[in-house]
Amino acid sequence: MRGSFNYFSQMNLNRPTVILLTSLLSSGMQTCDLKNGKKDDPSAMDSTSVPRTDAWLLQQSKFEELRLQQVDFTAFGKDGDWQMNLSTDRIITFKSMDSGSSIVTKESEEMLPADMNAIMYAAEMEAGRVLVTVYQDSCEFGNSLEKWPYSVRVLVDAGKDNFQEYRGCGLYLNAPSLHDIWVLSEWNRFDDLKSMFPTGPPRMEFHMEKNEYYGYSGCVEISGRFEPKGSKLDILSYMPGKVACNQEGHMAFIEALSTVQFDLSLDGIYLRLSNEKEVLTFRKVD
């Protein structure tokens, strides 16, 4: 669920609490510094797969088990002192490695603040609230200096002015099999793709290392950028080919790409991109 940045007003917080919470979000202060207990440094986790040269694939392979458990996004403290997971159904779980305490929230709300390049996930828990901010800034993890694609801040509001802030690095868990060539095989808007695309159906080739795609609209070559977010896929940009095309199928496909965000589902040789309006099914080709 994605919405505007209206979480605090919806929760009926009193004015002093709103002021304090807003201050914590806008400042660089850190109210909690966990330094004791056992540290689990995820950058040191061993992958069971064969070593690969692709850095993005090696990083993703470390968390394959979590991804199979329907986790869309994971984050850790830079010292490995906490972990946060966001599930595909938008439930937030948070665990402190020092105290052993855990938090499980209700379904979170996704928000896009207008004043920062970030995504927020806000949710209620049994006694308080949790706000996770995912920044579009790379993050170096612990002593390994491994770069993660996102910086993360977790704010836990346990009530009665009991706020704790945690900072770390995060990663959306994406299926490596998306990195392939996909040809459109079904579309809920059209029964006959051959008549809509007489010169051949659209195709998409996703390159995960640079988050770039190349393809064919059914009329001209296309390219652009995308961002995989676990069970979501954002189309960030579209570059048309050098030749103009007014073909109906081409125009419809480009319109579909302008939707920006899709639900993503991978099932063997099939890729499904869907939203409230579109359901596009692609078949993997070699």
Side-chain angles (χ1 to χ4, degrees):
M1 180 166 55
R2 173 178 287 193
S4 59
F5 188 41
N6 57 2
Y7 173 69
F8 300 117
S9 59
Q10 290 178 355
M11 295 306 169
N12 297 320
L13 296 177
N14 58 40
R15 183 171 180 80
T17 302
V18 172
I19 293 174
L20 177 56
L21 196 53
T22 304
S23 175
L24 281 172
L25 286 172
S26 61
S27 69
M29 67 180 294
Q30 190 163 350
T31 59
C32 180
D33 186 15
L34 301 177
K35 294 296 182 181
N36 300 315
K38 182 180 179 180
K39 311 298 187 203
D40 294 328
D41 184 352
S43 65
M45 294 181 180
D46 292 328
S47 171
T48 57
S49 61
V50 176
R52 305 174 187 270
T53 57
D54 297 313
W56 68 269
L57 189 54
L58 179 61
Q59 190 174 56
Q60 288 285 339
S61 67
K62 296 177 182 179
F63 303 101
E64 178 69 6
E65 184 177 346
L66 272 182
R67 188 181 67 82
L68 295 177
Q69 294 173 7
Q70 307 303 307
V71 173
D72 253 3
F73 183 84
T74 190
F76 291 83
K78 292 186 178 182
D79 295 324
D81 46 17
W82 59 268
Q83 180 181 4
M84 186 281 297
N85 291 330
L86 176 70
S87 68
T88 55
D89 55 4
R90 293 307 183 251
I91 303 299
I92 296 172
T93 59
F94 179 88
K95 181 178 180 180
S96 168
M97 308 303 184
D98 292 328
S99 65
S101 60
S102 298
I103 294 171
V104 180
T105 72
K106 300 178 182 179
E107 181 182 359
S108 62
E109 178 185 4
E110 179 180 331
M111 302 173 294
L112 299 175
D115 58 345
M116 65 178 76
N117 191 12
I119 298 176
M120 291 180 172
Y121 300 96
E124 291 185 315
M125 57 183 183
E126 184 175 349
R129 302 163 185 85
V130 174
L131 180 64
V132 177
T133 306
V134 179
Y135 298 95
Q136 297 276 358
D137 294 319
S138 61
C139 178
E140 290 187 352
F141 200 102
N143 295 326
S144 69
L145 298 183
E146 178 183 358
K147 282 191 177 294
W148 283 38
Y150 302 95
S151 296
V152 179
R153 176 161 51 186
V154 180
L155 182 64
V156 179
D157 170 15
K160 297 181 180 180
D161 295 334
N162 181 13
F163 297 96
Q164 292 181 318
E165 183 187 32
Y166 305 85
R167 291 180 178 269
C169 304
L171 177 75
Y172 283 100
L173 305 185
N174 304 308
S177 56
L178 179 63
H179 184 92
D180 218 313
I181 303 173
W182 305 88
V183 173
L184 185 67
S185 59
E186 293 181 26
W187 192 350
N188 65 319
R189 289 173 60 181
F190 306 107
D191 294 327
D192 186 4
L193 291 183
K194 289 185 178 180
S195 63
M196 290 300 299
F197 302 102
T199 58
R203 68 175 183 272
M204 301 285 286
E205 182 176 349
F206 294 101
H207 291 256
M208 301 284 281
E209 186 171 9
K210 295 183 178 180
N211 285 359
E212 296 177 347
Y213 70 85
Y214 305 92
Y216 178 65
S217 70
C219 184
V220 297
E221 298 296 321
I222 59 174
S223 62
R225 293 188 57 78
F226 72 99
E227 185 174 13
K229 296 179 177 178
S231 60
K232 305 286 184 181
L233 180 74
D234 287 0
I235 302 295
L236 303 179
S237 66
Y238 155 71
M239 293 291 292
K242 296 181 179 180
V243 180
C245 180
N246 295 320
Q247 186 188 91
E248 181 182 359
H250 159 84
M251 300 296 288
F253 187 69
I254 297 308
E255 179 187 357
L257 291 185
S258 68
T259 303
V260 180
Q261 187 173 81
F262 292 93
D263 291 327
L264 182 154
S265 174
L266 282 162
D267 183 11
I269 62 172
Y270 292 100
L271 162 67
R272 174 174 290 184
L273 300 179
S274 60
N275 52 43
E276 295 180 356
K277 182 180 178 180
E278 311 282 0
V279 181
L280 298 96
T281 302
F282 297 79
R283 193 177 190 278
K284 182 184 294 188
V285 296
D286 295 328

